[in-house]
Amino acid sequence: MAAVRNGVQGRLAKKLHIKTFGCQMNVYDSSRMADVLAPLGYELSDHVEEADMVIVNTCHIREKAAEKLYSELGRYRQVKEARTGGGEATVIAVAGCVAQAEGAEIMNRAPFVDIVVGPQAYHQLPELVARAARAKDEKKGGKRKGSGVLAIDFPAESKFDQLPPVRHQGPTAFLSVQEGCDKFCTFCVVPYTRGAEYSRPADEVVAEARELAAAGAREITLLGQNVNAYHGVDAGGKAVGLGELIRRLADVDGISRIRYTTSHPIDMSDELIAAHRDVDALMPFLHLPVQSGSDRILARMNRHHDMSLYCRVVEKLMTARPDMKLSSDFIVGFPGETDADFQATLELAREVEFIQAFSFKYSARLGTPGALMDNQVPEDVKSERLAVLQDVLTGNQAAFNRSCVDRVMPVLLDRKGRKQGQLAGRSPYLQPVHVDAPDSRFGQIVDLRIVAGHENSLAGELPADGTAPSLERVVA
Ligand code: SAH
Ligand code: SF4
Ligand code: F3S
């Protein structure tokens, strides 16, 4: 096959395959790892069989998430062996939160892995790839099949300083503004895998938003493990909270929609709630994890708030933006959760009509206080509670989707639909919407009449005469 050349002078294009697990932060990190490796001649490929380098970007949040790594690595090992047999090399790298938590163990359990790189060290990838190549030469003939390069340093500051400009395509984009967590909920590994809370400087964030907008992004989602704990400074040394940051981003030409995730209830400041009232570009939809409806369990979880604070925040949000809708995360079967505690959670799910929700069985994570607590809940009780809760939550979601029928909603068409002649996009409430529409509408925010509301998605229709009713606010 003819050699493919890319922009890097005299260097053959190499193929990079990235498999991403976990949260949106990992999706953002994966695209940044691709940016970091591009100057070395690596181009993204969907096909693992042809990859010169494979990165698996991992998640440690629940036991199942971490297990996925080893089954995925088994596949990559086969690819590596097949390609080595044909005289080609494949570099295998493990990134993300399992890499941070279990770096040495990965090297032992999967000796064919070349690089283990934590979430705060991936800007070092070019150097790590070079070190892996050197180590391979030195180890030729030895027992180890991989190069064994480990990079799990911590400070987030140095990473953001050293990342190249974003290379982005498409109408929607993620933008990391805050990373790490100092809250130490007793069930959660994130403070250990992502490190201490860090906020990027405000001007750096605005500059990245401008680059994204110039590359076609119309909607940006600001990311952080505790995004509303954001406390940046600008070039003038002025403190900038998330509300102020959102106001500045709303002024960036081309950015029509702003979202942020994931928020903690105790960081929903009045300043941020005021941004919901004032900034039209800020979508009327918020993911606000609650975890449990029982004060006793919230205290054991070290969530730093009770139900009354959560409900007050919800009320303030609804006052600021009456068309606001919420989604949430729930954990059932946290150690010590009684039937009465669980009933409190159910009551909350019925009262605050969350229009989407993620619910999980508590998964004991090594090194977190929850794993050592008394009264661990038996697996079958967790399963039972999860099924009952999910029934209520999916009922809420389906009811909201049905209530959207016959309304007009502005939808950002950001991808092809499943069927020929269709495009798909997201409503203000992140509902997927399908519509028969010409490709020329791709990337536009189009007012669609909703004609069907399914459990997980909506169907929309373009206005018959090509004109759309003007809407001052999103559907109320
Ligand atoms: N920073 C966010 C949550 C990040 S983790 C927050 O503070 O809400 C995403 C979700 O995974 C959590 O909201 C929680 O519902 C779930 N989760 C985290 N650790 C878990 C565990 N050990 N077992 C089950 N679910 C867990
Ligand atoms: Fe985990 Fe709690 Fe931090 Fe969220 S706030 S990342 S759940 S420790
Ligand atoms: Fe998973 Fe790490 Fe995100 S543990 S949820 S990938 S911060």
Side-chain angles (χ1 to χ4, degrees):
M1 201 173 79
V4 186
R5 286 187 184 273
N6 71 355
V8 181
Q9 182 125 47
R11 215 177 255 161
L12 286 176
K14 289 175 275 188
K15 301 287 185 200
L16 171 65
H17 179 79
I18 307 185
K19 173 83 184 174
T20 307
F21 295 102
C23 59
Q24 288 104 326
M25 180 81 78
N26 260 13
V27 175
Y28 175 84
D29 287 349
S30 288
S31 69
R32 300 303 268 139
M33 286 192 267
D35 294 347
V36 167
L37 288 167
L40 270 67
Y42 283 101
E43 285 176 352
L44 280 175
S45 163
D46 288 337
H47 308 290
V48 63
E49 310 77 36
E50 62 171 22
D52 299 285
M53 180 164 180
V54 180
I55 301 177
V56 48
N57 197 6
T58 58
C59 174
H60 199 51
I61 204 81
R62 284 168 292 275
E63 198 176 354
K64 269 200 193 133
E67 272 166 18
K68 283 187 193 147
L69 166 65
Y70 290 101
S71 71
E72 201 65 21
L73 280 177
R75 267 181 67 211
Y76 299 153
R77 177 192 201 155
Q78 286 174 0
V79 170
K80 183 168 183 159
E81 284 172 359
R83 281 173 54 95
T84 310
E88 291 174 295
T90 306
V91 179
I92 299 183
V94 178
C97 291
V98 185
Q100 189 65 46
E102 296 179 1
E105 195 185 329
I106 294 167
M107 289 295 191
N108 284 333
R109 244 178 104 171
F112 49 91
V113 166
D114 296 290
I115 298 170
V116 169
V117 56
Q120 306 310 351
Y122 63 73
H123 58 292
Q124 300 166 8
L125 270 170
E127 183 200 324
L128 301 177
V129 170
R131 262 171 57 198
R134 280 202 304 278
K136 188 162 285 165
D137 288 344
E138 282 159 18
K139 284 181 190 157
K140 247 182 198 146
K143 263 203 309 213
R144 226 201 127 74
K145 297 269 190 324
S147 305
V149 175
L150 184 66
I152 47 178
D153 318 337
F154 251 120
E157 300 89 339
S158 52
K159 173 178 74 181
F160 287 114
D161 284 351
Q162 290 169 50
L163 289 175
V166 279
R167 298 178 320 145
H168 175 80
Q169 281 181 330
T172 56
F174 289 136
L175 202 178
S176 231
V177 303
Q178 181 280 337
E179 200 169 343
C181 178
D182 296 339
K183 295 205 167 56
F184 292 91
C185 302
T186 50
F187 53 81
C188 184
V189 294
V190 170
Y192 312 96
T193 62
R194 291 275 169 173
E197 240 177 67
Y198 168 72
S199 297
R200 293 177 73 185
D203 297 309
E204 189 180 304
V205 172
V206 174
E208 191 165 319
R210 286 209 186 96
E211 286 164 20
L212 292 168
R218 302 213 52 197
E219 172 177 304
I220 51 170
T221 302
L222 310 178
L223 298 181
Q225 267 87 38
N226 264 286
V227 69
N228 56 343
Y230 177 84
H231 54 284
V233 281
D234 64 12
K238 188 171 175 290
V240 177
L242 189 63
E244 170 63 19
L245 184 71
I246 287 168
R247 288 172 198 266
R248 293 185 189 189
L249 291 169
D251 288 339
V252 171
D253 273 350
I255 300 294
S256 314
R257 288 181 161 193
I258 300 172
R259 304 177 186 277
Y260 61 93
T261 195
T262 296
S263 298
H264 194 290
I266 62 167
D267 292 317
M268 286 311 303
S269 66
D270 289 343
E271 183 235 358
L272 179 56
I273 292 173
H276 280 281
R277 182 193 62 211
D278 300 338
V279 181
D280 280 344
L282 187 54
M283 291 291 96
F285 176 65
L286 182 66
H287 186 61
L288 194 62
V290 65
Q291 316 299 356
S292 167
S294 152
D295 283 347
R296 216 176 57 83
I297 295 300
L298 288 173
R300 282 170 73 86
M301 285 176 165
N302 194 32
R303 286 292 286 179
H304 310 278
H305 70 83
D306 55 13
M307 274 322 299
S308 86
L309 180 134
Y310 190 87
C311 294
R312 254 195 335 273
V313 167
V314 172
E315 268 168 31
K316 282 192 204 172
L317 281 163
M318 301 304 295
T319 308
R321 186 84 206 235
D323 56 351
M324 187 84 182
K325 302 285 175 201
L326 297 173
S327 67
S328 201
D329 288 346
F330 294 84
I331 295 177
V332 297
F334 186 76
E337 186 187 71
T338 62
D339 222 26
D341 295 319
F342 176 64
Q343 290 305 323
T345 301
L346 269 185
E347 214 166 285
L348 167 76
R350 290 199 184 102
E351 249 168 50
V352 181
E353 291 173 328
F354 297 105
I355 62 161
Q356 280 157 39
F358 299 94
S359 45
F360 313 99
K361 288 192 269 185
Y362 169 68
S363 165
R365 310 303 287 131
L366 201 68
T368 61
L372 300 174
M373 284 182 184
D374 296 339
N375 302 325
Q376 298 282 331
V377 175
E379 212 44 41
D380 55 335
V381 176
K382 288 185 201 169
S383 302
E384 224 171 88
R385 289 181 184 167
L386 187 68
V388 173
L389 177 62
Q390 286 186 339
D391 222 38
V392 175
L393 295 172
T394 51
N396 284 349
Q397 175 170 334
F400 179 67
N401 286 352
R402 277 195 308 272
S403 79
C404 294
V405 174
D406 287 338
R407 292 184 182 188
V408 173
M409 281 178 149
V411 175
L412 172 53
L413 297 171
D414 63 346
R415 63 213 130 92
K416 288 222 168 274
R418 257 171 288 151
K419 296 190 195 132
Q420 189 74 20
Q422 266 193 347
L423 290 176
R426 297 279 177 179
S427 77
Y429 302 115
L430 271 189
Q431 298 148 293
V433 189
H434 294 88
V435 58
D436 289 333
D439 284 354
S440 59
R441 294 288 197 148
F442 178 83
Q444 293 181 6
I445 297 172
V446 182
D447 283 337
L448 298 182
R449 182 163 300 284
I450 304 304
V451 292
H454 311 294
E455 196 168 292
N456 296 309
S457 67
L458 305 176
E461 228 174 50
L462 285 171
D465 59 359
T467 60
S470 71
L471 289 176
E472 236 167 69
R473 273 265 157 117
V474 211
V475 288

